Amino acid sequence: MGKVIIASNRLPLNIQITEDGLTVTPSVGGLATGLKPVHQQTGSVWIGWTGLPEDEVPPERQQQIDELLVSEQCGSVWMDHEEIERVYYGFSNETLWPLFHYFMEYVRFDPENWAAYKRVNERFADAIAEQAEPGDTIWIHDYQLLLVPALVRERVPDAAIGFFLHIPFPSFEVFRTLPWRSEILEGMLGADLIGFHTHNYTRHFLSSVRRLLGYDVQEHRVHLPRRIAHADSFPLGIDYQHFHQTAVQHAERTRREQSDIQKALDRFLAAREDLRLVLSIDRLDYTKGIANRLRAFERFLERYPQYVGNVSLIMLTVPSRSAVPQYQRMKSEVDELVGRINGEYASIDWHPVHYFYRSLPFDQLVDLYTTCDIALLTPIRDGMNLVAKEYIASRYNKRGVLILSEMAGAANEMSEALLINPNDADDIADALHEALTMPETEQIERNFILQDRLERYDIKKWSQDFRDSLKNVHAAQQRFLSRKLDPSELTELASAFGEAESRILFLDYDGTLVGFRSQPEKAAPDPELYAMLDQLAGMPNTRLVLISGRDKGSFDRWFGNKPYTLVCEHGVWTRPAGGEWQQADGLETDWKPAVRQVLELFTDRTPGSLIEEKDYGLAWHYRKADPELGTMRANELKDRLNFSLSGQNLEVLYGHKVVEVKNAGINKGRAGMRVLEDGKEAFVLAVGDDWTDETLFEALPDRAHTIKVGMQNSFAKANLESPAEVRAMLQALTGSTVEGTAFAGGA
Ligand code: GDG
């Protein structure tokens, strides 16, 4: 089993340069703790930035640091002062952070910052590739490294790559404003598995992929030209036992063993028996809704004057990104609000707000969690919010109430908390009142359920779950690649073709010989295709059959004078080489007006869709419609047709962005078998991309060579990835070499 390579902007440790040398302290963040067991596995390595500017550390010190990092199973990526400004403060925290949290008014689009971001992402990819060996798992984290998955894929094509985004993924309407939106999506899609905290973020990501890049998305899968990437939600958990057990131990401490903060809190509470404490903890960040919270607390004191003098808010605000201008402005706003509320309401023995602008050691954090009756967390937007989970985990006696913003990812899993809208001060004031009057039995009931859930899906489970899923996705990918026709199989196919006395080739057209076009009438054959088909059809004892769902008009125009057998409308029409069009038996058209009426209704309600009339069929195409609306309408149409066609001798086909109604019993399988007659040809080959081709793959005799174009499962014996590869394969059959064609490019 290979090692795990973790990559994140910061390393899980801090390095201080002192006069005596270097000191290393582990970082206390949730991610560092959670990934510790993975990181400690033999050989595993964590790649990231030390937090030190490259141009302020002399080269010999840098070397010392790098050596020290190796002994800590880490590798460094260095950034100089300007890169820190442009990449960390700039593109990451002045473009991506506000955009992904829906703070459009704070977003800066600076091409130089983007260029630096790309450069540093390349550096990360180089560092990862340098460590990567076959069988390794690469796990990349967060918005500072969005381009790294694809950059690593370029360097190590077969690697198992996972990516996890810790912040929200915004809706398409917001994400589309980013000038570098396509590069960012392609960057993320370099991973086999892309993880988000919630299903909504996953949905937003897939919707942007579909609309901006045009890739086909089915459930959680993105069909890329050469691979399938999966996107799914994995809600990050916490180290539940660590918080819970620390809280239990703290409750058993003697007074002498207590922390200073616990002693002060106890003294404070002893002096005022009726005093209730409300806690909030967050980084000083505009997404956390700190000003909203203060205004709502003020509203609470106005609306419920009985609590004046009895309820205090303890607000721990951890300094963060203080070099970014919006953070400086917000600090002044918060300082002012705290001053105003305290100025208005405080008395000699009571303060409404106790405001701490610093961070505290872990033990004291747990003291705050266990001592405060209520946690009030009001982010305007938050990827997850671990504080909410940590508060509940620390409530060892199951008492206490969590008030949580519905805009935090954590709200999805914590519906037993009191969920509030952070922009609604009245809602928050009422929730505080509800929390203060909630019976203990109800508190216990709610916390019992919450704790049970947090304990089960803790950070270790999360990390295991993500890596197991990545392993499965990657294995499926490898299985597919092993089905792919490789150069040696192509050589065998070409010699079987060459040695056979007679041959027949069934080739689908759209998506097989030519790529899909938004306007099907523009998908006419190019001179290169004609030349190749002519060459194949001109070989001795060789029948070339073009078998398609298209109407016979197009095929007549394009191939009417060619010596190919033509099959149209999935087998309604057949024209032998040099012969006349023949129609399949028992076909009817009297159903068309009623079905056309239904299709017209759907066309009117789905901009971009159109109806194609065939002799014995009607097709509704939605390739040019909005992809989400198109898929939704296709499902509605399916239900509607199933209902209105029941009892008639008709069939509904679902092809690639098309729904088609036609006479029952007509399919490529039957048509193909009619052409094959008694199966005289020694060499039989069928190639197609659509599921309508599956009937042909299934019907043909065992000796047939069958090839599916695309990454889906199939009755076909092998797969190719694209029309370009199909052409290269056909070229090889005509005797040309494989080299220099698209085929040689491989996976
Ligand atoms: C990002 C996303 C997502 C806070 N103050 C102190 C302290 N903390 C610890 C908490 C908690 C962590 O910091 C904060 O995590 P959050 O999840 O609340 O928020 P972000 O920092 O914004 O994190 C967020 C997260 O990534 C994970 O994916 O949930 O949505 O924005 O663990 O305990 N720790 C100590 N002293 C403090 O004063 N020791």
Side-chain angles (χ1 to χ4, degrees):
M1 210 180 72
K3 63 181 180 295
V4 181
I5 303 175
I6 302 166
S8 64
N9 180 54
R10 288 297 297 269
L11 285 168
L13 45 79
N14 293 306
I15 294 182
Q16 279 87 35
I17 303 178
T18 60
E19 281 176 8
D20 309 331
L22 301 172
T23 56
V24 181
T25 45
S27 120
V28 288
L31 193 68
T33 323
L35 294 183
K36 210 170 173 183
V38 182
H39 184 208
Q40 279 171 346
Q41 279 171 22
T42 337
S44 289
V45 55
W46 193 315
I47 288 167
W49 174 47
T50 55
L52 301 168
E54 187 177 16
D55 42 354
E56 283 180 18
V57 183
E60 61 283 2
R61 267 275 190 249
Q62 281 183 29
Q63 202 184 334
Q64 261 183 337
I65 291 174
D66 286 340
E67 280 162 15
L68 181 73
L69 288 177
V70 171
S71 67
E72 298 281 338
Q73 294 188 206
C74 287
S76 72
V77 171
W78 286 93
M79 283 194 266
D80 66 22
H81 221 268
E82 195 192 333
E83 283 167 338
I84 295 166
E85 279 301 316
R86 291 198 175 283
V87 179
Y88 177 70
Y89 290 110
F91 197 74
S92 300
N93 288 327
E94 285 188 288
T95 305
L96 295 174
W97 179 269
L99 186 79
F100 281 36
H101 286 88
Y102 297 76
F103 280 80
M104 297 292 291
E105 66 278 23
Y106 291 165
V107 179
R108 264 187 72 198
F109 297 127
D110 180 335
E112 285 188 52
N113 286 358
W114 163 243
Y117 181 85
K118 282 203 291 193
R119 218 170 36 243
V120 169
N121 271 231
E122 295 260 3
R123 206 172 295 158
F124 265 90
D126 287 337
I128 294 169
E130 208 171 287
Q131 302 275 353
E133 292 165 305
D136 287 354
T137 300
I138 298 167
W139 194 1
I140 300 156
H141 290 266
D142 227 359
Y143 62 103
Q144 300 90 350
L145 306 182
L146 294 173
L147 304 177
V148 175
L151 295 170
V152 174
R153 175 76 56 207
E154 277 171 18
R155 292 157 173 77
V156 198
D158 288 337
I161 305 176
F163 177 80
F164 191 84
L165 185 69
H166 290 261
I167 64 174
F169 195 93
S171 89
F172 162 69
E173 288 298 343
V174 168
F175 183 72
R176 72 189 304 188
T177 61
L178 184 65
W180 308 285
R181 58 206 188 173
S182 301
E183 289 96 321
I184 297 275
L185 291 178
E186 293 282 10
M188 295 170 78
L189 287 169
D192 295 296
L193 178 64
I194 302 148
F196 300 90
H197 285 305
T198 73
H199 174 62
N200 277 343
Y201 307 156
T202 314
R203 211 164 49 76
H204 291 156
F205 170 74
L206 291 174
S207 155
S208 285
V209 165
R210 196 184 249 168
R211 286 153 192 264
L212 294 168
L213 303 182
Y215 293 134
D216 221 16
V217 174
Q218 280 165 12
E219 286 148 18
H220 291 273
R221 298 183 300 277
V222 181
H223 291 262
L224 302 165
R226 290 170 182 276
R227 299 180 300 115
I228 294 178
H230 285 237
D232 211 339
S233 58
F234 300 85
L236 178 61
I238 55 164
D239 189 347
Y240 180 88
Q241 286 306 341
H242 188 43
F243 280 91
H244 196 75
Q245 294 311 331
T246 308
V248 170
Q249 281 160 19
H250 281 198
E252 289 162 0
R253 282 180 308 197
T254 62
R255 192 165 157 67
R256 279 191 46 215
E257 289 167 340
Q258 286 181 342
S259 68
D260 288 345
I261 199 162
Q262 187 68 63
K263 284 180 193 151
L265 284 166
D266 286 351
R267 257 198 321 274
F268 192 44
L269 287 167
R272 295 286 308 270
E273 224 172 68
D274 50 352
L275 186 69
R276 312 286 295 276
L277 298 179
V278 179
L279 173 70
S280 76
I281 298 181
D282 14 46
R283 277 185 307 101
L284 186 69
D285 195 297
Y286 49 81
T287 60
K288 301 288 181 183
I290 299 170
N292 285 21
R293 181 184 312 149
L294 286 166
R295 284 192 210 97
F297 194 70
E298 195 176 23
R299 175 71 54 84
F300 161 73
L301 295 174
E302 270 165 31
R303 215 174 153 120
Y304 299 97
Q306 67 269 33
Y307 294 118
V308 172
N310 298 326
V311 176
S312 290
L313 172 64
I314 299 197
M315 199 168 86
L316 176 65
T317 314
V318 182
S320 171
R321 304 172 198 169
S322 42
V324 177
Q326 288 94 19
Y327 288 73
Q328 293 156 359
R329 280 204 294 279
M330 193 191 29
K331 167 86 173 50
S332 316
E333 191 191 1
V334 169
D335 289 353
E336 232 170 77
L337 275 168
V338 172
R340 189 177 85 199
I341 300 171
N342 279 344
E344 186 150 336
Y345 286 94
S347 57
I348 297 292
D349 61 346
W350 174 77
H351 270 65
V353 184
H354 296 262
Y355 170 40
F356 302 90
Y357 179 58
R358 68 186 81 133
S359 67
L360 292 178
F362 174 76
D363 277 333
Q364 299 188 20
L365 196 75
V366 175
D367 287 339
L368 284 178
Y369 285 148
T370 52
T371 311
C372 296
D373 309 280
I374 295 167
L376 176 62
L377 305 171
T378 58
I380 295 170
R381 207 54 80 162
D382 209 339
M384 175 51 81
N385 195 304
L386 297 179
V387 173
K389 295 187 169 182
E390 294 166 3
Y391 175 74
I392 292 295
S394 308
R395 305 303 297 177
Y396 62 91
N397 62 8
K398 296 198 168 44
R399 282 152 186 87
V401 182
L402 170 65
I403 303 176
L404 177 62
S405 163
E406 60 193 39
M407 310 298 176
N412 285 284
E413 304 156 70
M414 303 185 91
S415 56
E416 292 77 13
L418 298 183
L419 299 182
I420 50 93
N421 176 350
N423 302 304
D424 185 344
D426 289 325
D427 192 20
I428 299 175
D430 292 346
L432 278 167
H433 174 61
E434 189 184 342
L436 287 160
T437 52
M438 186 183 284
E440 275 197 0
T441 48
E442 186 178 341
Q443 297 178 24
I444 294 169
E445 260 170 44
R446 288 173 185 255
N447 291 336
F448 181 82
I449 304 172
L450 286 168
Q451 288 190 344
D452 184 49
R453 204 175 292 140
L454 294 179
E455 190 176 2
R456 265 185 293 123
Y457 201 81
D458 68 356
I459 179 119
K460 289 195 194 93
K461 187 77 188 290
W462 170 82
S463 139
Q464 193 61 50
D465 189 16
F466 186 92
R467 283 175 299 125
D468 286 349
S469 304
L470 173 57
K471 204 164 122 193
N472 290 339
V473 168
H474 189 68
Q477 200 88 253
Q478 297 305 106
R479 268 201 305 280
F480 170 76
L481 290 175
S482 72
R483 276 179 53 88
K484 203 185 141 178
L485 196 71
D486 63 27
S488 72
E489 288 166 324
L490 177 61
T491 312
E492 278 172 33
L493 188 75
S495 52
F497 177 87
E499 285 159 16
E501 279 176 11
S502 56
R503 319 156 181 116
I504 185 164
L505 310 178
F506 291 96
L507 305 178
D508 169 47
Y509 186 72
D510 297 274
T512 299
L513 293 175
V514 297
F516 277 105
R517 299 283 156 83
S518 53
Q519 285 162 296
E521 62 281 7
K522 294 212 173 129
D526 48 275
E528 181 199 270
L529 181 62
Y530 276 130
M532 193 171 61
L533 296 178
D534 285 346
Q535 205 181 345
L536 283 167
M539 297 181 84
N541 301 328
T542 304
R543 271 201 292 168
L544 179 70
V545 186
L546 296 186
I547 183 163
S548 164
R550 275 190 178 261
D551 64 290
K552 80 178 195 312
S554 309
F555 264 33
D556 235 356
R557 257 193 329 280
W558 297 337
F559 307 113
N561 58 354
K562 294 287 184 188
Y564 320 152
T565 300
L566 305 177
V567 178
C568 285
E569 288 192 36
H570 305 287
V572 168
W573 294 102
T574 305
R575 194 216 65 178
E580 293 299 315
W581 284 103
Q582 296 155 13
Q583 186 187 316
D585 299 331
L587 299 173
E588 290 164 5
T589 54
D590 52 352
W591 53 271
K592 274 176 142 186
V595 171
R596 180 172 255 287
Q597 234 178 13
V598 177
L599 298 189
E600 274 168 0
L601 185 71
F602 275 75
T603 309
D604 292 342
R605 290 170 55 215
T606 317
S609 66
L610 57 96
I611 299 172
E612 183 194 357
E613 171 119 27
K614 302 182 181 181
D615 292 330
Y616 292 93
L618 280 173
W620 183 71
H621 292 272
Y622 58 96
R623 198 167 295 149
K624 278 178 75 184
D626 173 288
E628 275 163 24
L629 180 66
T631 309
M632 200 177 84
R633 289 274 191 260
N635 285 330
E636 281 172 28
L637 180 60
K638 182 167 131 187
D639 289 345
R640 178 74 176 268
L641 290 172
N642 280 342
F643 177 73
S644 52
L645 301 185
S646 64
Q648 298 188 53
N649 195 27
L650 295 175
E651 209 175 324
V652 186
L653 280 184
Y654 306 93
H656 185 78
K657 307 248 169 161
V658 59
V659 178
E660 186 165 346
V661 183
K662 57 178 203 51
N663 285 266
I666 298 291
N667 61 47
K668 287 186 179 177
R670 287 193 185 189
M673 290 308 284
R674 272 199 303 273
V675 172
L676 195 61
E677 291 164 345
D678 45 0
K680 285 193 291 286
E681 273 93 352
F683 179 94
V684 182
L685 170 71
V687 191
D689 71 304
D690 208 321
W691 81 261
T692 59
D693 298 301
E694 295 295 319
T695 54
L696 181 61
F697 298 148
E698 219 184 339
L700 288 174
D702 261 2
R703 69 175 191 283
H705 303 272
T706 48
I707 299 176
K708 165 91 175 173
V709 186
M711 295 283 287
Q712 291 88 355
N713 273 332
S714 170
F715 285 113
K717 292 175 184 158
N719 289 52
L720 282 174
E721 285 174 6
S722 61
E725 285 193 355
V726 174
R727 289 187 184 204
M729 181 267 295
L730 294 174
Q731 199 71 57
L733 297 191
T734 63
S736 310
T737 61
V738 189
E739 273 164 66
T741 65
F743 208 89

